[in-house]
Amino acid sequence: MAPTPLADGFCFGEGPRWFEGLLWFSDMLGEAVHTCDWRGSLTTLPLPGHTPSGLGFRPDGSLLIVSAEDRQILRYDGETVSPVADLTHLVPASLGDMVIDDLGRAYIGSQGSQGSQGSLGSLGSRGSQAFDGGTIVRLDTDDTATVVATDLDFPNGMVITADRGTLIVAESMGRRLTAYTIGKDGELTDRRPFADNLDGPPDGIALDARGGVWAAMTLAHQFERITEGGEVTDRIDMGDRVAIACTLGGPERRTLFLLSSTDAYPKRLVGTRLARLDAVQVDIPGAGLP
C-alpha cells in the first residue's frame, strides 16, 4: 500500500479524527487545530498559548481538545474555545491522546513522569528515557474527572471497540497495546495484553472491523496493522519519515489517514512546516470509536 500525500504546511500533526466529512487534527507545535477536505485544503482554528493533542467529539457535536502542557481540556462549540476541565491535580505530567464514547465521556492519557520532565509531542521527544506512572482519566459529561487506570508506560493512542466493551491503549514506552474492559459506569477493569513486543513504540492508533489495530510505529518509520496476540498483517513504509498518528475515515471508513513528521524529537521542529498528511485506501473499514 502506497500512501498518497494529501496536505502539508503544518508543524506537528497529532490526534486525527474523521467527523462530518472532514479530517480534523491537532498541530501541537503550531498551536492550532486544522481540518482538511478531500482536495487537501486546510482550515485552521488558532489556539495561541496551547499545545493541542488528543481530539474528540461529544454527541452534541462540540469538539473537546486536549491541551497537553497545561493539562487542560478545552471545548470548541463552533464559535468559541473555552476550558472545561483542569486535570493538573489528577495527573503526574502532560496530557496526550483521548477517545470519547457514545455518551460523551472522554478517556484521556497522561504520559507519566521521569527524572527530567519531557516537553512536547509524542514519545520521540523523550528518547529512550523511562516514564513511570502513566494514567488514564475519565472526564464525564458533567466535566468531573476521575482517574480510571494507573501505572501505564506512557499511554498514547486509544480506541474503543465496536461493541463498546473494550478500550485499547498504546503504551509507547512499553512497546505494547493494552486492553481494558469498560464497565457500565465507565470504569476500566481487567487489564490485559492485546499485543506486546512490538516493532517500535506505538503512538496513535485506529481500529478496523475485524479487530485489527493500525498503529503508528514512531521510531520504526512505518504504520502497522496488528491483530490481537501481536501478528503484523500489513505494513506501510514511510521511508525516512516518522509515523505519528492515524485514523480511519472517509466513505465507508476505508481511508486510512496518516500523519508523519521529519523528526522524532518535536522540539527540533518548532517553527518548521514539515509535517504531512497522507491517505491510503484499505480493504477493511474502520470500526468502533473514534
PDB file of all heavy atoms in Angstrom, residues 31-60:
ATOM      1  N   GLU A  31       0.229  25.275  17.601  1.00  0.00           N
ATOM      2  CA  GLU A  31      -0.805  25.856  18.456  1.00  0.00           C
ATOM      3  C   GLU A  31      -2.107  26.063  17.684  1.00  0.00           C
ATOM      4  O   GLU A  31      -2.679  27.162  17.651  1.00  0.00           O
ATOM      5  CB  GLU A  31      -0.316  27.175  19.071  1.00  0.00           C
ATOM      6  CG  GLU A  31       0.908  26.997  19.952  1.00  0.00           C
ATOM      7  CD  GLU A  31       1.352  28.278  20.657  1.00  0.00           C
ATOM      8  OE1 GLU A  31       0.820  29.356  20.327  1.00  0.00           O
ATOM      9  OE2 GLU A  31       2.222  28.199  21.544  1.00  0.00           O
ATOM     10  N   ALA A  32      -2.583  24.970  17.066  1.00  0.00           N
ATOM     11  CA  ALA A  32      -3.785  25.082  16.241  1.00  0.00           C
ATOM     12  C   ALA A  32      -4.408  23.708  16.056  1.00  0.00           C
ATOM     13  O   ALA A  32      -3.776  22.679  16.269  1.00  0.00           O
ATOM     14  CB  ALA A  32      -3.446  25.678  14.873  1.00  0.00           C
ATOM     15  N   VAL A  33      -5.678  23.715  15.649  1.00  0.00           N
ATOM     16  CA  VAL A  33      -6.366  22.524  15.143  1.00  0.00           C
ATOM     17  C   VAL A  33      -6.727  22.813  13.692  1.00  0.00           C
ATOM     18  O   VAL A  33      -7.248  23.885  13.372  1.00  0.00           O
ATOM     19  CB  VAL A  33      -7.628  22.206  15.967  1.00  0.00           C
ATOM     20  CG1 VAL A  33      -8.477  21.131  15.275  1.00  0.00           C
ATOM     21  CG2 VAL A  33      -7.245  21.743  17.372  1.00  0.00           C
ATOM     22  N   HIS A  34      -6.437  21.848  12.817  1.00  0.00           N
ATOM     23  CA  HIS A  34      -6.727  22.007  11.394  1.00  0.00           C
ATOM     24  C   HIS A  34      -7.837  21.048  10.973  1.00  0.00           C
ATOM     25  O   HIS A  34      -8.006  19.970  11.562  1.00  0.00           O
ATOM     26  CB  HIS A  34      -5.492  21.702  10.542  1.00  0.00           C
ATOM     27  CG  HIS A  34      -4.311  22.540  10.850  1.00  0.00           C
ATOM     28  ND1 HIS A  34      -4.268  23.897  10.616  1.00  0.00           N
ATOM     29  CD2 HIS A  34      -3.089  22.218  11.368  1.00  0.00           C
ATOM     30  CE1 HIS A  34      -3.081  24.376  10.978  1.00  0.00           C
ATOM     31  NE2 HIS A  34      -2.356  23.379  11.438  1.00  0.00           N
ATOM     32  N   THR A  35      -8.554  21.422   9.925  1.00  0.00           N
ATOM     33  CA  THR A  35      -9.408  20.487   9.205  1.00  0.00           C
ATOM     34  C   THR A  35      -8.903  20.401   7.772  1.00  0.00           C
ATOM     35  O   THR A  35      -8.337  21.356   7.232  1.00  0.00           O
ATOM     36  CB  THR A  35     -10.883  20.923   9.196  1.00  0.00           C
ATOM     37  OG1 THR A  35     -11.013  22.160   8.498  1.00  0.00           O
ATOM     38  CG2 THR A  35     -11.417  21.055  10.615  1.00  0.00           C
ATOM     39  N   CYS A  36      -9.111  19.224   7.162  1.00  0.00           N
ATOM     40  CA  CYS A  36      -8.653  19.007   5.792  1.00  0.00           C
ATOM     41  C   CYS A  36      -9.770  18.342   5.002  1.00  0.00           C
ATOM     42  O   CYS A  36     -10.395  17.384   5.491  1.00  0.00           O
ATOM     43  CB  CYS A  36      -7.405  18.119   5.789  1.00  0.00           C
ATOM     44  SG  CYS A  36      -6.681  17.871   4.147  1.00  0.00           S
ATOM     45  N   ASP A  37     -10.019  18.832   3.784  1.00  0.00           N
ATOM     46  CA  ASP A  37     -11.020  18.203   2.928  1.00  0.00           C
ATOM     47  C   ASP A  37     -10.335  17.290   1.913  1.00  0.00           C
ATOM     48  O   ASP A  37      -9.109  17.126   1.920  1.00  0.00           O
ATOM     49  CB  ASP A  37     -11.900  19.255   2.240  1.00  0.00           C
ATOM     50  CG  ASP A  37     -11.127  20.169   1.289  1.00  0.00           C
ATOM     51  OD1 ASP A  37     -10.000  19.812   0.869  1.00  0.00           O
ATOM     52  OD2 ASP A  37     -11.662  21.249   0.970  1.00  0.00           O
ATOM     53  N   TRP A  38     -11.123  16.693   1.012  1.00  0.00           N
ATOM     54  CA  TRP A  38     -10.586  15.730   0.064  1.00  0.00           C
ATOM     55  C   TRP A  38      -9.627  16.354  -0.933  1.00  0.00           C
ATOM     56  O   TRP A  38      -8.845  15.640  -1.584  1.00  0.00           O
ATOM     57  CB  TRP A  38     -11.720  15.026  -0.677  1.00  0.00           C
ATOM     58  CG  TRP A  38     -12.398  13.997   0.161  1.00  0.00           C
ATOM     59  CD1 TRP A  38     -13.656  14.073   0.694  1.00  0.00           C
ATOM     60  CD2 TRP A  38     -11.864  12.742   0.597  1.00  0.00           C
ATOM     61  NE1 TRP A  38     -13.936  12.945   1.434  1.00  0.00           N
ATOM     62  CE2 TRP A  38     -12.853  12.112   1.386  1.00  0.00           C
ATOM     63  CE3 TRP A  38     -10.644  12.106   0.405  1.00  0.00           C
ATOM     64  CZ2 TRP A  38     -12.655  10.863   1.970  1.00  0.00           C
ATOM     65  CZ3 TRP A  38     -10.439  10.856   0.986  1.00  0.00           C
ATOM     66  CH2 TRP A  38     -11.438  10.253   1.762  1.00  0.00           C
ATOM     67  N   ARG A  39      -9.664  17.672  -1.092  1.00  0.00           N
ATOM     68  CA  ARG A  39      -8.741  18.333  -2.013  1.00  0.00           C
ATOM     69  C   ARG A  39      -7.429  18.709  -1.335  1.00  0.00           C
ATOM     70  O   ARG A  39      -6.526  19.251  -1.974  1.00  0.00           O
ATOM     71  CB  ARG A  39      -9.391  19.595  -2.588  1.00  0.00           C
ATOM     72  CG  ARG A  39     -10.653  19.330  -3.415  1.00  0.00           C
ATOM     73  CD  ARG A  39     -11.396  20.619  -3.699  1.00  0.00           C
ATOM     74  NE  ARG A  39     -11.884  21.226  -2.459  1.00  0.00           N
ATOM     75  CZ  ARG A  39     -12.538  22.384  -2.390  1.00  0.00           C
ATOM     76  NH1 ARG A  39     -12.770  23.061  -3.496  1.00  0.00           N
ATOM     77  NH2 ARG A  39     -12.947  22.854  -1.235  1.00  0.00           N
ATOM     78  N   GLY A  40      -7.326  18.427  -0.045  1.00  0.00           N
ATOM     79  CA  GLY A  40      -6.129  18.787   0.699  1.00  0.00           C
ATOM     80  C   GLY A  40      -6.126  20.214   1.191  1.00  0.00           C
ATOM     81  O   GLY A  40      -5.090  20.721   1.648  1.00  0.00           O
ATOM     82  N   SER A  41      -7.282  20.876   1.147  1.00  0.00           N
ATOM     83  CA  SER A  41      -7.379  22.258   1.600  1.00  0.00           C
ATOM     84  C   SER A  41      -7.530  22.312   3.117  1.00  0.00           C
ATOM     85  O   SER A  41      -8.408  21.650   3.683  1.00  0.00           O
ATOM     86  CB  SER A  41      -8.573  22.945   0.932  1.00  0.00           C
ATOM     87  OG  SER A  41      -8.722  24.272   1.404  1.00  0.00           O
ATOM     88  N   LEU A  42      -6.682  23.094   3.769  1.00  0.00           N
ATOM     89  CA  LEU A  42      -6.698  23.207   5.223  1.00  0.00           C
ATOM     90  C   LEU A  42      -7.418  24.464   5.689  1.00  0.00           C
ATOM     91  O   LEU A  42      -7.291  25.521   5.082  1.00  0.00           O
ATOM     92  CB  LEU A  42      -5.266  23.245   5.775  1.00  0.00           C
ATOM     93  CG  LEU A  42      -4.386  22.013   5.618  1.00  0.00           C
ATOM     94  CD1 LEU A  42      -3.013  22.277   6.224  1.00  0.00           C
ATOM     95  CD2 LEU A  42      -5.018  20.791   6.281  1.00  0.00           C
ATOM     96  N   THR A  43      -8.180  24.320   6.760  1.00  0.00           N
ATOM     97  CA  THR A  43      -8.670  25.466   7.515  1.00  0.00           C
ATOM     98  C   THR A  43      -8.123  25.342   8.932  1.00  0.00           C
ATOM     99  O   THR A  43      -7.820  24.243   9.395  1.00  0.00           O
ATOM    100  CB  THR A  43     -10.200  25.536   7.545  1.00  0.00           C
ATOM    101  OG1 THR A  43     -10.711  24.342   8.172  1.00  0.00           O
ATOM    102  CG2 THR A  43     -10.765  25.645   6.140  1.00  0.00           C
ATOM    103  N   THR A  44      -8.002  26.458   9.627  1.00  0.00           N
ATOM    104  CA  THR A  44      -7.266  26.469  10.884  1.00  0.00           C
ATOM    105  C   THR A  44      -8.058  27.136  11.997  1.00  0.00           C
ATOM    106  O   THR A  44      -8.628  28.219  11.809  1.00  0.00           O
ATOM    107  CB  THR A  44      -5.921  27.200  10.702  1.00  0.00           C
ATOM    108  OG1 THR A  44      -5.144  26.509   9.718  1.00  0.00           O
ATOM    109  CG2 THR A  44      -5.146  27.249  12.008  1.00  0.00           C
ATOM    110  N   LEU A  45      -8.069  26.480  13.161  1.00  0.00           N
ATOM    111  CA  LEU A  45      -8.578  27.060  14.402  1.00  0.00           C
ATOM    112  C   LEU A  45      -7.364  27.390  15.267  1.00  0.00           C
ATOM    113  O   LEU A  45      -6.750  26.488  15.837  1.00  0.00           O
ATOM    114  CB  LEU A  45      -9.497  26.071  15.118  1.00  0.00           C
ATOM    115  CG  LEU A  45      -9.931  26.448  16.539  1.00  0.00           C
ATOM    116  CD1 LEU A  45     -10.828  27.682  16.521  1.00  0.00           C
ATOM    117  CD2 LEU A  45     -10.641  25.270  17.214  1.00  0.00           C
ATOM    118  N   PRO A  46      -6.971  28.654  15.371  1.00  0.00           N
ATOM    119  CA  PRO A  46      -5.796  29.005  16.174  1.00  0.00           C
ATOM    120  C   PRO A  46      -6.053  28.777  17.665  1.00  0.00           C
ATOM    121  O   PRO A  46      -7.140  29.074  18.168  1.00  0.00           O
ATOM    122  CB  PRO A  46      -5.591  30.498  15.875  1.00  0.00           C
ATOM    123  CG  PRO A  46      -6.410  30.783  14.658  1.00  0.00           C
ATOM    124  CD  PRO A  46      -7.563  29.832  14.701  1.00  0.00           C
ATOM    125  N   LEU A  47      -5.037  28.290  18.355  1.00  0.00           N
ATOM    126  CA  LEU A  47      -5.108  28.078  19.803  1.00  0.00           C
ATOM    127  C   LEU A  47      -3.848  28.638  20.451  1.00  0.00           C
ATOM    128  O   LEU A  47      -3.029  27.894  20.997  1.00  0.00           O
ATOM    129  CB  LEU A  47      -5.262  26.584  20.116  1.00  0.00           C
ATOM    130  CG  LEU A  47      -6.555  25.924  19.662  1.00  0.00           C
ATOM    131  CD1 LEU A  47      -6.469  24.411  19.814  1.00  0.00           C
ATOM    132  CD2 LEU A  47      -7.749  26.459  20.444  1.00  0.00           C
ATOM    133  N   PRO A  48      -3.660  29.933  20.396  1.00  0.00           N
ATOM    134  CA  PRO A  48      -2.426  30.523  20.917  1.00  0.00           C
ATOM    135  C   PRO A  48      -2.231  30.220  22.399  1.00  0.00           C
ATOM    136  O   PRO A  48      -3.163  30.304  23.195  1.00  0.00           O
ATOM    137  CB  PRO A  48      -2.634  32.028  20.677  1.00  0.00           C
ATOM    138  CG  PRO A  48      -4.110  32.215  20.521  1.00  0.00           C
ATOM    139  CD  PRO A  48      -4.613  30.957  19.901  1.00  0.00           C
ATOM    140  N   GLY A  49      -0.999  29.821  22.716  1.00  0.00           N
ATOM    141  CA  GLY A  49      -0.676  29.513  24.104  1.00  0.00           C
ATOM    142  C   GLY A  49      -0.982  28.091  24.520  1.00  0.00           C
ATOM    143  O   GLY A  49      -0.683  27.706  25.656  1.00  0.00           O
ATOM    144  N   HIS A  50      -1.559  27.293  23.629  1.00  0.00           N
ATOM    145  CA  HIS A  50      -1.894  25.903  23.946  1.00  0.00           C
ATOM    146  C   HIS A  50      -1.086  24.940  23.081  1.00  0.00           C
ATOM    147  O   HIS A  50      -0.597  25.300  22.002  1.00  0.00           O
ATOM    148  CB  HIS A  50      -3.387  25.652  23.738  1.00  0.00           C
ATOM    149  CG  HIS A  50      -4.265  26.381  24.706  1.00  0.00           C
ATOM    150  ND1 HIS A  50      -4.398  26.008  26.022  1.00  0.00           N
ATOM    151  CD2 HIS A  50      -5.042  27.487  24.546  1.00  0.00           C
ATOM    152  CE1 HIS A  50      -5.223  26.841  26.642  1.00  0.00           C
ATOM    153  NE2 HIS A  50      -5.631  27.746  25.764  1.00  0.00           N
ATOM    154  N   THR A  51      -0.972  23.712  23.553  1.00  0.00           N
ATOM    155  CA  THR A  51      -0.320  22.636  22.806  1.00  0.00           C
ATOM    156  C   THR A  51      -1.342  21.527  22.582  1.00  0.00           C
ATOM    157  O   THR A  51      -1.386  20.540  23.324  1.00  0.00           O
ATOM    158  CB  THR A  51       0.897  22.094  23.575  1.00  0.00           C
ATOM    159  OG1 THR A  51       0.501  21.768  24.913  1.00  0.00           O
ATOM    160  CG2 THR A  51       2.013  23.114  23.617  1.00  0.00           C
ATOM    161  N   PRO A  52      -2.209  21.661  21.585  1.00  0.00           N
ATOM    162  CA  PRO A  52      -3.284  20.682  21.388  1.00  0.00           C
ATOM    163  C   PRO A  52      -2.755  19.313  21.015  1.00  0.00           C
ATOM    164  O   PRO A  52      -1.793  19.181  20.253  1.00  0.00           O
ATOM    165  CB  PRO A  52      -4.107  21.294  20.260  1.00  0.00           C
ATOM    166  CG  PRO A  52      -3.146  22.164  19.516  1.00  0.00           C
ATOM    167  CD  PRO A  52      -2.220  22.706  20.563  1.00  0.00           C
ATOM    168  N   SER A  53      -3.409  18.286  21.539  1.00  0.00           N
ATOM    169  CA  SER A  53      -3.018  16.907  21.252  1.00  0.00           C
ATOM    170  C   SER A  53      -4.261  16.101  20.889  1.00  0.00           C
ATOM    171  O   SER A  53      -4.773  16.210  19.786  1.00  0.00           O
ATOM    172  CB  SER A  53      -2.268  16.304  22.443  1.00  0.00           C
ATOM    173  OG  SER A  53      -1.818  15.010  22.154  1.00  0.00           O
ATOM    174  N   GLY A  54      -4.792  15.295  21.829  1.00  0.00           N
ATOM    175  CA  GLY A  54      -5.964  14.482  21.530  1.00  0.00           C
ATOM    176  C   GLY A  54      -7.197  15.314  21.215  1.00  0.00           C
ATOM    177  O   GLY A  54      -7.407  16.387  21.783  1.00  0.00           O
ATOM    178  N   LEU A  55      -8.019  14.792  20.287  1.00  0.00           N
ATOM    179  CA  LEU A  55      -9.277  15.423  19.907  1.00  0.00           C
ATOM    180  C   LEU A  55     -10.404  14.411  20.026  1.00  0.00           C
ATOM    181  O   LEU A  55     -10.196  13.205  19.929  1.00  0.00           O
ATOM    182  CB  LEU A  55      -9.228  15.924  18.462  1.00  0.00           C
ATOM    183  CG  LEU A  55      -8.162  16.945  18.075  1.00  0.00           C
ATOM    184  CD1 LEU A  55      -8.265  17.240  16.582  1.00  0.00           C
ATOM    185  CD2 LEU A  55      -8.285  18.210  18.897  1.00  0.00           C
ATOM    186  N   GLY A  56     -11.628  14.924  20.185  1.00  0.00           N
ATOM    187  CA  GLY A  56     -12.795  14.043  20.197  1.00  0.00           C
ATOM    188  C   GLY A  56     -14.075  14.856  20.189  1.00  0.00           C
ATOM    189  O   GLY A  56     -14.097  16.000  20.660  1.00  0.00           O
ATOM    190  N   PHE A  57     -15.133  14.257  19.646  1.00  0.00           N
ATOM    191  CA  PHE A  57     -16.413  14.943  19.524  1.00  0.00           C
ATOM    192  C   PHE A  57     -17.437  14.322  20.471  1.00  0.00           C
ATOM    193  O   PHE A  57     -17.592  13.103  20.531  1.00  0.00           O
ATOM    194  CB  PHE A  57     -16.922  14.872  18.087  1.00  0.00           C
ATOM    195  CG  PHE A  57     -16.099  15.679  17.126  1.00  0.00           C
ATOM    196  CD1 PHE A  57     -15.000  15.117  16.497  1.00  0.00           C
ATOM    197  CD2 PHE A  57     -16.402  17.006  16.885  1.00  0.00           C
ATOM    198  CE1 PHE A  57     -14.219  15.858  15.627  1.00  0.00           C
ATOM    199  CE2 PHE A  57     -15.629  17.767  16.016  1.00  0.00           C
ATOM    200  CZ  PHE A  57     -14.534  17.183  15.384  1.00  0.00           C
ATOM    201  N   ARG A  58     -18.137  15.200  21.191  1.00  0.00           N
ATOM    202  CA  ARG A  58     -19.239  14.759  22.029  1.00  0.00           C
ATOM    203  C   ARG A  58     -20.510  14.616  21.180  1.00  0.00           C
ATOM    204  O   ARG A  58     -20.572  15.112  20.054  1.00  0.00           O
ATOM    205  CB  ARG A  58     -19.444  15.744  23.175  1.00  0.00           C
ATOM    206  CG  ARG A  58     -18.442  15.508  24.313  1.00  0.00           C
ATOM    207  CD  ARG A  58     -18.668  16.404  25.494  1.00  0.00           C
ATOM    208  NE  ARG A  58     -18.036  15.854  26.696  1.00  0.00           N
ATOM    209  CZ  ARG A  58     -17.881  16.520  27.830  1.00  0.00           C
ATOM    210  NH1 ARG A  58     -18.314  17.767  27.920  1.00  0.00           N
ATOM    211  NH2 ARG A  58     -17.312  15.946  28.864  1.00  0.00           N
ATOM    212  N   PRO A  59     -21.537  13.945  21.712  1.00  0.00           N
ATOM    213  CA  PRO A  59     -22.761  13.724  20.920  1.00  0.00           C
ATOM    214  C   PRO A  59     -23.416  15.010  20.418  1.00  0.00           C
ATOM    215  O   PRO A  59     -24.105  14.981  19.393  1.00  0.00           O
ATOM    216  CB  PRO A  59     -23.670  12.972  21.896  1.00  0.00           C
ATOM    217  CG  PRO A  59     -22.728  12.242  22.799  1.00  0.00           C
ATOM    218  CD  PRO A  59     -21.572  13.178  22.978  1.00  0.00           C
ATOM    219  N   ASP A  60     -23.226  16.116  21.102  1.00  0.00           N
ATOM    220  CA  ASP A  60     -23.822  17.382  20.647  1.00  0.00           C
ATOM    221  C   ASP A  60     -23.008  18.049  19.540  1.00  0.00           C
ATOM    222  O   ASP A  60     -23.358  19.138  19.068  1.00  0.00           O
ATOM    223  CB  ASP A  60     -24.009  18.346  21.814  1.00  0.00           C
ATOM    224  CG  ASP A  60     -22.688  18.778  22.458  1.00  0.00           C
ATOM    225  OD1 ASP A  60     -21.606  18.351  21.998  1.00  0.00           O
ATOM    226  OD2 ASP A  60     -22.737  19.556  23.440  1.00  0.00           O
TER     227      ASP A  60
END
